[in-house]
Amino acid sequence: MQILTKRCILTLLSESDFEELTPLITNETVRRYLGGVRPLESSLNGWLLSIQSLDEYIFAVRLQISSVAVGLVTLAQHHNQEDMEISFMFLPEYWGNGYAREAVGVLLKFSECELQLSRVVSETQAANIRSRSMLEKLGYTLESEVERFGEKQYIYVFKNKLL
């Protein structure tokens, strides 16, 4: 499966993407609001299980112009076991260019048109101002807050308009 944005190509994650996307797991800046750097082996094993799941969508995000991998976006079960959640992580050198916004935006359309979901959530640390701002620009609204992973988290909801 492949989904295009204006500047990016989203393809379902495959084992061949693991090496190029390893910095997403090991980079302290990327992992700052995601619970810190994770052990590489367990993370790669988690990715392997996820790509075999029929209930999760994990997309490698590549630039159309160069095919360079810049991040990941996922659509998977949220912690509350009721909603599907869109999450994302991008390499710092690509922050501020709108790639995450494009990728999350197209995944919102996918969730609505292809999966017929009436709503999706995204959870981020309260301290992650940039992610919160991006979610709000995409039309998410703050629904609740919880403490998880030792930090205050905000849960944003996006209600699909067609359903």
Side-chain angles (χ1 to χ4, degrees):
M1 177 186 302
Q2 183 175 329
I3 303 174
L4 296 176
T5 72
K6 181 178 173 185
R7 300 173 296 160
C8 300
I9 302 168
L10 282 65
T11 56
L12 286 174
L13 186 68
S14 69
E15 286 185 65
S16 63
D17 297 316
F18 288 6
E19 184 177 339
E20 193 172 6
L21 292 171
T22 294
L24 291 172
I25 301 166
T26 59
N27 184 299
E28 290 184 21
T29 304
V30 171
R31 301 293 307 171
R32 177 177 179 194
Y33 298 114
L34 298 170
V37 172
R38 296 185 51 204
L40 186 58
E41 187 173 330
S42 67
S43 293
L44 294 179
N45 287 336
W47 281 358
L48 185 58
L49 291 173
S50 292
I51 63 176
Q52 296 168 351
S53 170
L54 299 176
D55 299 331
E56 295 183 20
Y57 298 86
I58 302 179
F59 293 95
V61 180
R62 296 180 176 281
L63 300 181
Q64 285 188 30
I65 196 165
S66 64
S67 295
V68 170
V70 298
L72 281 177
V73 290
T74 65
L75 180 63
Q77 192 76 42
H78 182 255
H79 294 286
N80 67 15
Q81 301 299 309
E82 295 172 15
D83 292 303
M84 292 294 281
E85 175 184 17
I86 293 177
S87 60
F88 51 92
M89 60 178 135
F90 283 74
L91 294 169
E93 57 266 35
Y94 298 99
W95 292 0
N97 293 299
Y99 300 128
R101 187 173 176 180
E102 278 183 38
V104 172
V106 78
L107 210 50
L108 287 169
K109 288 192 185 315
F110 175 78
S111 74
E112 179 177 41
C113 297
E114 299 297 322
L115 302 179
Q116 302 290 301
L117 298 177
S118 61
R119 62 182 257 143
V120 292
V121 299
S122 287
E123 182 173 328
T124 189
Q125 275 191 26
N128 192 343
I129 303 298
R130 292 178 76 160
S131 288
R132 291 175 44 206
S133 175
M134 185 197 81
L135 294 172
E136 290 167 3
K137 286 176 184 173
L138 284 167
Y140 280 84
T141 56
L142 181 61
E143 183 174 74
S144 62
E145 64 180 66
V146 296
E147 176 139 342
R148 199 181 327 274
F149 314 115
E151 299 290 337
K152 183 181 354 178
Q153 308 284 331
Y154 285 163
I155 299 172
Y156 284 86
V157 64
F158 184 90
K159 293 183 180 176
N160 286 316
K161 295 162 186 60
L162 297 177
L163 303 174

